[in-house]
Each structure stands twice: as C-alpha cells, then as structure tokens.
Amino acid sequence: MPLQIGIVGLPNVGKSTLFNVLTQAQNAEVANYPFCTIEPNQALVPVPDNRLDKLADMVGVKNSIKTTIEFLDIAGLVKGASQGEGLGNQFLGTIRNTDALLHVVRCFEDPNVVHISEHPDPKQDIEIVQVELILSDLEQITKKIEKLSRQIKGDKKLSPSLEMAKLIQKHLQSGNPLSVFPKKNDPNFTELDQELRFLTAKPVIYAANIAEENLNSEHPALKKITEIATNEGAEVVQISALIESELNLLAESDKSEYMEITGIQISGLEQVIHTGYRTLNLISFFTYNDQEARAWTVTNGARAPEAAGQIHTDFQKGFIKAEVIPFSVFVEYGNTAAVKEVGKLQIEGKDYIVQDGDVIFFRFNI
C-alpha cells in the first residue's frame, strides 16, 4: 500500500484548494461556504524524484515508475464533529488508516472567504480540530475498555492491555493528544494503536496556508503554529495554496520563472512529500531492468531482505544477496558494468541496511 496522508482542518481554510495543488488536479470542489467537501476526495500522487529520472536516462529506459502517496481530503471539522456536528464526523473513520495527518491552518485574511469565527486565530483553530480528534480517540478507547473489562474475566492475560487502555483514556481526558503520551513506545500501547489507529497518535504536518504577500515572511500566525508544532514534535510547511494553484496552470517552461518571482523555492507538493518522508522516517531506493527504472519506499534502517519484500514477498523469502550501488557512485561511473570494473559494486547480505538512493539488484531463490 502507498503512504497515506489525510488532510484535516476547519472549513474554508483552503484544504480542497491545497488538495488540488498537491494532486495537480482540479477534481476537488472549491467554494466559499462551509462543508463544500462532502464526499472524501482521494488521489494517488507520484512522488517527484529527480534521481529516478536521471537513472532512467542513464540506463536508457523510457519508463520511470515513481512511488506514490495517497492523499485523502475530508470535510472540514467543527466543534462537536466527534458527536455528530457538521459533516466531518462522517469521515474521521476514513483517515484512521492514514500514516500521517496534514493539518491545514488558515493564515490569511479575506473578507470574501467566510470563516467559522469573526477573527481567525490559528491557535484557536488548531485547538478546535485537535479537541475533536481527541474526543474521537476517547470514544474509541472507552469502547475498548468496556470490551476488555468483559473479556478479562475469562482471560487474565489481558490485564496489561486493560491497564494501558485506562492510562490512554486518562491522558485523553486531560485534553492531551497521544503524540505526547509518555508511554507511546510501550508494546501494549503499540498493540492498541495498531488495532484502533488513534488519530492523535499519528505524525502531524502543519500546513500554514499564507497569503501571497506574506509568503516567506515572519508572519505572526506562523510563529504561533511553529510554537504548537515544536511542543508536539510536529513539522511545519509554509504554503500559499492560491499561488500554488496558479502555478499548476502554467506550462512547465514558465513555472521556474513564476516561482522565482513569487519567492517559491520548492513546490507545495515537494515540501509536503519531503517533510512527510522525514516525519515518517522513510527513504527511497531504486531498481531497474531493460524496461523500466523504479523507485521504492522503505523505513530508514530497513535491511536488504525487507527492501526486497517491497518488490515481491518471494524476493524476501528467498533472499540470497543484494548487489548495491550508491546513487552518487552510479552517476560517477554511468552504468553497472563500469562500477563493477572499478570494484565498487557492493555485495551485501541479510544484515545490510539500505541507504537512501541505493540502486539495488536482488538475487533470490525460491
């Protein structure tokens, strides 16, 4: 399955506009009224990587198959969403299986775009969404406690799980997300999280949606968001969804000039992807044959057999060895034959830890 990122936020903060930017599509309805998004928008987005394109060119294949990220854009959340207010509560289940959340925060003034409050305040807006996610998790864990309390009568081995569930419940009741839960590395917490997919335990990337004139400036709203993110161990990206949507309409040859004029050094999509990879501790490795070059994603620290398993489970089961060329070495010598000739092809076994950018050929037997 591809990496999944759920887009959350209040109504009319630019979520659907940003979704269209990230997916380079115009299929999410954008309008100036709350709950414009009713059905969840979903899109698979190729992960841009210049290294893959260069590899494909060097080995002389036309096809370069990028790894993908799936974005899910749900209805805006409001106070009481977890109890049925608005429409966002219908879709909290949709984002439970995502790997991370992209929380879009409005950092622009526009009297023509309505906001749920008279004077938008990023700190308050973040708190509204976070409270609803906490309440949703609290409902989940309360039901689990009720179930475990019944089951434990016949199975005392469930005692550690019940104890952990009660600690989680107490933490959520205090108004704190599970991202700052003191025992989130405990195996009993991990087990419950794998089952219930807590929303507030997911890594968060805050996307500050800033007006064009304030982009790349010391915006006071950005400072508030950064403080919140720092306390949570989250990341922040600064994006002008309006500029990025205009950028998407330009021909490729005109984009660089427009980005230079508007002060954009890297596109919104690349910002989110790079930050998402860093947040989730992911890296990419490459393979190629006479038909295609391809990128694959693994967790940083993955060993060679695990990486082979991303291609096919048989590769992992029958793993023999990995022939590895670091990307910089491949670029230096131009092809595998030249790398072999100078003795820089690495023959690695099961304990080899894959590095970002490795070009790998797996040997296996089934």
Side-chain angles (χ1 to χ4, degrees), residues 157-366:
K157 292 180 181 179
L158 294 175
S159 181
S161 293
L162 179 59
E163 183 180 344
M164 177 58 69
K166 289 180 178 178
L167 289 174
I168 292 170
Q169 183 187 51
K170 183 178 180 181
H171 181 84
L172 292 167
Q173 286 173 334
S174 68
N176 293 308
L178 293 173
S179 57
V180 294
F181 183 58
K183 294 192 174 184
K184 64 181 181 180
N185 294 323
D186 189 295
N188 290 305
F189 175 84
T190 302
E191 185 178 348
L192 286 167
D193 186 31
Q194 288 175 343
E195 176 188 351
L196 302 177
R197 305 292 288 170
F198 297 120
L199 295 170
T200 63
K202 298 182 186 300
V204 175
I205 303 166
Y206 287 103
N209 189 7
I210 293 177
E212 178 179 352
E213 61 271 19
N214 295 319
L215 194 62
N216 298 320
S217 66
E218 292 297 324
H219 196 286
L222 185 61
K223 184 178 180 181
K224 290 183 180 180
I225 297 170
T226 301
E227 288 175 355
I228 293 170
T230 300
N231 290 334
E232 296 177 2
E235 297 255 14
V236 179
V237 295
Q238 186 179 167
I239 294 175
S240 171
L242 184 60
I243 292 179
E244 296 269 356
S245 61
E246 293 172 352
L247 187 65
N248 272 357
L249 300 176
L250 297 177
E252 200 65 39
S253 57
D254 297 326
K255 285 186 178 181
S256 297
E257 183 179 350
Y258 186 82
M259 288 174 70
E260 187 175 343
I261 292 171
T262 54
I264 298 175
Q265 297 180 344
I266 182 172
S267 73
L269 174 62
E270 290 184 88
Q271 280 194 67
V272 171
I273 288 173
H274 292 166
T275 306
Y277 266 53
R278 187 167 60 249
T279 299
L280 293 168
N281 197 28
L282 300 174
I283 60 171
S284 296
F285 71 93
F286 308 112
T287 60
Y288 76 90
N289 55 31
D290 57 0
Q291 299 292 321
E292 66 187 32
R294 187 161 186 161
W296 307 86
T297 299
V298 291
T299 302
N300 191 9
R303 299 187 186 278
E306 184 181 344
Q310 294 297 310
I311 301 172
H312 198 285
T313 53
D314 285 346
F315 283 29
Q316 182 169 2
K317 291 176 182 176
F319 178 88
I320 298 173
K321 63 182 178 180
E323 298 177 2
V324 180
I325 306 172
F327 185 77
S328 60
V329 174
F330 200 99
V331 171
E332 182 180 356
Y333 292 96
N335 56 64
T336 301
V339 172
K340 286 181 177 179
E341 189 174 336
V342 296
K344 293 203 173 184
L345 178 71
Q346 300 172 204
I347 307 300
E348 305 289 355
K350 293 182 178 180
D351 291 331
Y352 176 71
I353 296 175
V354 176
Q355 303 299 305
D356 187 44
D358 277 350
V359 180
I360 308 178
F361 183 82
F362 294 102
R363 300 284 183 182
F364 68 101
N365 184 25
I366 56 171

Side-chain angles (χ1 to χ4, degrees), residues 6-147:
I7 305 177
V8 299
L10 296 177
N12 286 5
V13 297
K15 290 192 306 88
S16 295
T17 301
L18 182 58
F19 176 85
N20 288 334
V21 168
L22 294 173
T23 59
Q24 298 182 357
Q26 297 296 323
N27 55 356
E29 185 182 359
V30 178
N32 182 24
Y33 55 85
F35 313 123
C36 166
T37 302
I38 296 177
E39 295 297 324
N41 293 306
Q42 295 179 250
L44 276 175
V45 182
V47 175
D49 194 324
N50 293 332
R51 297 175 301 178
L52 177 64
D53 297 329
K54 187 173 183 65
L55 176 65
D57 184 57
M58 293 177 71
V59 300
V61 294
K62 293 182 179 180
N63 295 328
S64 59
I65 301 177
K66 298 174 172 63
T67 187
T68 58
I69 289 182
E70 183 175 17
F71 286 98
L72 293 87
D73 173 33
I74 66 168
L77 300 174
V78 295
K79 285 183 178 179
S82 58
Q83 278 76 48
E85 294 295 326
L87 298 173
N89 64 301
Q90 298 177 29
F91 308 121
L92 288 175
T94 303
I95 60 172
R96 280 204 177 275
N97 288 323
T98 58
D99 300 288
L101 299 180
L102 181 65
H103 187 162
V104 183
V105 186
R106 176 169 169 166
C107 298
F108 63 88
E109 295 285 346
D110 189 341
N112 298 315
V113 180
V114 296
H115 190 269
I116 62 168
S117 60
E118 187 176 351
H119 301 289
D121 176 14
K123 185 175 185 295
Q124 183 180 353
D125 291 356
I126 288 173
E127 287 174 350
I128 290 172
V129 172
Q130 193 171 78
V131 165
E132 295 311 315
L133 298 181
I134 288 172
L135 289 173
S136 183
D137 280 349
L138 185 57
E139 181 182 8
Q140 289 277 98
I141 198 62
T142 298
K143 290 179 180 178
K144 183 63 177 178
I145 288 172
E146 292 172 356
K147 184 178 180 180

